[in-house]
Amino acid sequence: MTNRQILQAMSGLMAGMFVAILAGTVVSNALPTIIADLGASQSSYTWVVTAELLAMTATVPLWGKLSDLFNKKLLLQLSLGMFVVGSLLAGFSHGVGLLIFSRVVQGVGAGGLTALAQVVMASIIPPRRLGKYAGIFGAVFAVGTVAGPLVGGVLVDTSWLGWRWCFFIGVPFALLAIALLQRTLHLPTVKREVRIDFLGAFLIVAGVCALLVWVSLAGNQFDWASWQTAALTGGGVVLLAAAVFVEARTAEPVIPLNIFRNRTVTLTTVASLLVGVAMFGGTVFLSQYFQISLGKSPTVAGLMSLPMILGLLVSSTVAGQIISRTGKWKRYLVAGAVIMSVGLGLLSTIGADTSFALLSLFMAILGIGVGMLMQNLVLAAQNDVPAAELGAATSVLSFFRSMGGTIGTSVLGAVLANRVASETAKGLREAGITPTGGGSGDGGGSVPDMSTLPAPLRTVVEHAYGVATADLFLFATPCALLALLTVVFLKEKPLKTSSGMERLAEEAAAEAAAETAGPVEALIELPRQRTGDAPVPAPAPGDQDPTEQRA
């Protein structure tokens, strides 16, 4: 495909990815209003946030496997259709139960978009040229991440629109993406025997959901050491162990276990998990730090994350261009892991009095490291697997990155809550005030309304959130260092110059040739097997070859 054809095909992919990102960010500033309007509880607030993440993370491997079996364009359009249905249900919800269910449907669709967009890119673009186009997706990611909270805030504050349009606004983009994919993306359907592993899919989804529910709710809805923890972790481990047993024995496993025999896939999977913990677990609480510790409004807090997004965009674009030109990729993974570790270490020094200039520098450094690392981990794995397993390998990396983000958000959120409570209680005692109910609150169970606090108490809470947020980045730094250690052991292999579809055709032709050659070789050996003759010895130096006699 020419560059123009690739860009045309990517237009639908970019529209679809924008929809997925917008769905996750546009409701962030609107959720308090939504929950209050529906008369729901704090527990329901948690489930509205968690439901989409659970569905998206759990279904990514399934979408990836389906992309190895069925037409990828059709699957992309199906995932966008599910997103449209979920968005309409959410927009028309008049109860929190239907809203949570609609978020699950949205999450399933977003899981398909997350997995399939990268699979389709690898199918139409050779790995050697893939880095050049990664920056375009970086731009879409940056725009969606920054625009989502701002658009959500505007829609909520506009009386004649309201929060329901936070869900409706993604529908036109999804329909546009479906139309663009139909017009611009042309992928051949590979005819092959299909066996869907329904039992394995059920066990994987059930096991993953049990563990994700545990890491999402532990520390908030129940204690880490409780019977709920034992039930969810025990049940999740048993279900996943059963899934491994089934996957090892089925003809078409959802997650082919043999791909983990590939050293590159195993190491990039571990690195993706660690990047998810460090990146998402640390940065998800930055908006809260901007608003509570620095006293900024939600709109300003959304804009303050721009340095990190711009750093990610620039580094992913530049590194991708250089990788496409030189074919060398490992040095950028190592450099990205080093820079990400440095950025997290610098952010562990922030506080309530940190200037925005210094904070912007630290966030830009973190964004540069993540931009060099995250997308190129996928590139390294896609370059080193057979084309028939491209979807499974890509979705495994996306799955573990999302899993790492969920684990990091939950664990570091519990650390934040405990640290805020202890620092607030300490500050109150130093101010001569007897803390009641755990200080700032109540063990971090609720976020204080800073506008209602008296000045001395506001100073204490601002300091507590500054210290607690810095501690989160300190806890995330070792994960980044482990990711660095992991990528160091990756073996650099030359980037392939053929796309996934071309490689699939080559592999199919090689298999057909091998099957054809087998019977021919058997016929050649057949006379020897019948007569029991030994192999014909080489002629002695003085002997004359019969062909020479005939000549």
Side-chain angles (χ1 to χ4, degrees):
M1 297 177 68
T2 64
N3 286 335
R4 181 177 179 180
Q5 289 173 326
I6 290 174
L7 289 173
Q8 286 176 342
M10 286 179 62
S11 61
L13 294 178
M14 289 187 289
M17 284 299 295
F18 182 74
V19 164
I21 296 165
L22 197 67
T25 58
V26 75
V27 298
S28 58
N29 286 341
L31 272 177
T33 304
I34 295 172
I35 296 300
D37 188 51
L38 296 178
S41 63
Q42 180 65 31
S43 176
S44 300
Y45 184 106
T46 304
W47 275 108
V48 171
V49 175
T50 306
E52 185 192 18
L53 184 61
L54 283 173
M56 182 181 73
T57 305
T59 56
V60 161
L62 306 185
W63 286 108
K65 181 59 184 178
L66 290 174
S67 72
D68 288 333
L69 301 176
F70 298 102
N71 186 278
K72 298 174 178 60
K73 181 171 80 171
L74 185 61
L75 290 171
L76 262 173
Q77 292 172 318
L78 176 62
S79 65
L80 284 164
M82 294 190 69
F83 179 85
V84 169
V85 171
S87 298
L88 292 174
L89 286 175
F92 288 114
S93 296
H94 289 281
V96 74
L98 180 58
L99 178 62
I100 292 173
F101 173 76
S102 67
R103 295 286 285 173
V104 171
V105 178
Q106 274 190 317
V108 174
L113 293 168
T114 302
L116 295 169
Q118 297 186 78
V119 174
V120 170
M121 279 186 66
S123 297
I124 63 176
I125 307 173
R128 182 64 185 265
R129 298 167 61 193
L130 193 58
K132 184 166 63 173
Y133 299 95
I136 300 175
F137 273 85
V140 174
F141 176 83
V143 172
T145 303
V146 174
L150 297 177
V151 171
V154 170
L155 291 173
V156 170
D157 292 336
T158 304
S159 58
W160 54 276
L161 289 174
W163 62 263
R164 297 183 185 277
W165 279 93
C166 291
F167 300 105
F168 293 148
I169 193 171
V171 173
F173 291 101
L175 296 175
L176 173 64
I178 292 173
L180 286 172
L181 288 170
Q182 183 63 33
R183 183 176 179 84
T184 62
L185 184 62
H186 304 290
L187 295 175
T189 301
V190 179
K191 300 292 185 181
R192 56 180 296 194
E193 184 181 357
V194 175
R195 297 177 183 175
I196 302 177
D197 178 22
F198 291 105
L199 178 59
F202 168 77
L203 291 172
I204 290 172
V205 171
V208 168
C209 284
L211 295 179
L212 288 178
V213 168
W214 169 59
V215 298
S216 299
L217 301 185
N220 296 319
Q221 304 299 314
F222 50 82
D223 293 333
W224 287 95
S226 63
W227 68 266
Q228 292 96 330
T229 291
L232 289 171
T233 55
V237 169
V238 169
L239 288 168
L240 291 179
V244 170
F245 180 82
V246 171
E247 295 294 276
R249 288 160 177 78
T250 188
E252 289 283 359
V254 175
I255 300 179
L257 299 181
N258 62 334
I259 67 171
F260 292 109
R261 296 175 186 168
N262 185 311
R263 175 179 171 181
T264 302
V265 172
T266 302
L267 290 175
T268 51
T269 298
V270 173
S272 295
L273 176 70
L274 294 169
V275 169
V277 174
M279 166 66 180
F280 297 105
T283 57
V284 74
F285 299 102
L286 272 176
S287 178
Q288 194 177 63
Y289 163 75
F290 296 148
Q291 295 182 53
I292 295 179
S293 194
L294 302 185
K296 306 299 181 182
S297 68
T299 302
V300 173
L303 292 172
M304 287 180 73
S305 61
L306 272 176
M308 184 170 63
I309 301 299
L310 291 176
L312 188 152
L313 170 61
V314 171
S315 66
S316 64
T317 304
V318 173
Q321 294 282 350
I322 297 174
I323 289 171
S324 294
R325 190 176 302 120
T326 64
K328 304 293 184 182
W329 50 265
K330 181 176 177 179
R331 63 188 67 172
Y332 302 101
L333 287 179
V334 174
V338 170
I339 296 171
M340 184 177 75
S341 302
V342 171
L344 289 169
L346 291 172
L347 284 168
S348 69
T349 64
I350 63 176
D353 55 352
T354 304
S355 67
F356 178 64
L358 197 59
L359 191 60
S360 298
L361 175 63
F362 295 167
M363 289 191 296
I365 292 173
L366 177 61
I368 290 171
V370 172
M372 296 174 69
L373 183 62
M374 194 159 59
Q375 185 63 33
N376 292 323
L377 285 172
V378 179
L379 173 64
Q382 290 177 337
N383 182 62
D384 202 29
V385 296
E389 296 179 352
L390 202 56
T394 304
S395 62
V396 162
L397 261 67
S398 299
F399 167 73
F400 277 96
R401 185 170 62 240
S402 298
M403 177 76 86
T406 306
I407 294 171
T409 301
S410 176
V411 173
L412 295 181
V415 171
L416 177 75
N418 292 328
R419 197 76 173 92
V420 165
S422 61
E423 281 295 319
T424 303
K426 176 183 174 183
L428 291 175
R429 283 193 297 269
E430 291 175 353
I433 304 172
T434 302
T436 58
S440 97
D442 54 1
S446 60
V447 178
D449 184 355
M450 301 298 288
S451 62
T452 63
L453 297 180
L457 185 55
R458 188 186 309 122
T459 302
V460 171
V461 174
E462 287 174 352
H463 174 75
Y465 271 89
V467 171
T469 306
D471 283 352
L472 296 188
F473 292 106
L474 185 62
F475 280 105
T477 302
C479 292
L481 294 173
L482 287 174
L484 169 61
L485 185 65
T486 303
V487 298
V488 164
F489 286 101
L490 282 170
K491 182 179 179 181
E492 184 163 25
K493 297 183 180 180
L495 293 177
K496 294 181 172 67
T497 56
S498 55
S499 68
M501 298 305 295
E502 292 168 340
R503 286 155 56 192
L504 191 62
E506 292 168 3
E507 291 167 11
E511 289 179 5
E515 291 175 359
T516 305
V520 174
E521 293 173 356
L523 289 172
I524 293 173
E525 296 293 329
L526 190 57
R528 181 183 303 170
Q529 295 172 0
R530 284 179 177 173
T531 59
D533 293 340
V536 179
D543 295 342
Q544 190 176 17
D545 192 304
T547 57
E548 293 178 4
Q549 291 178 344
R550 286 195 297 273

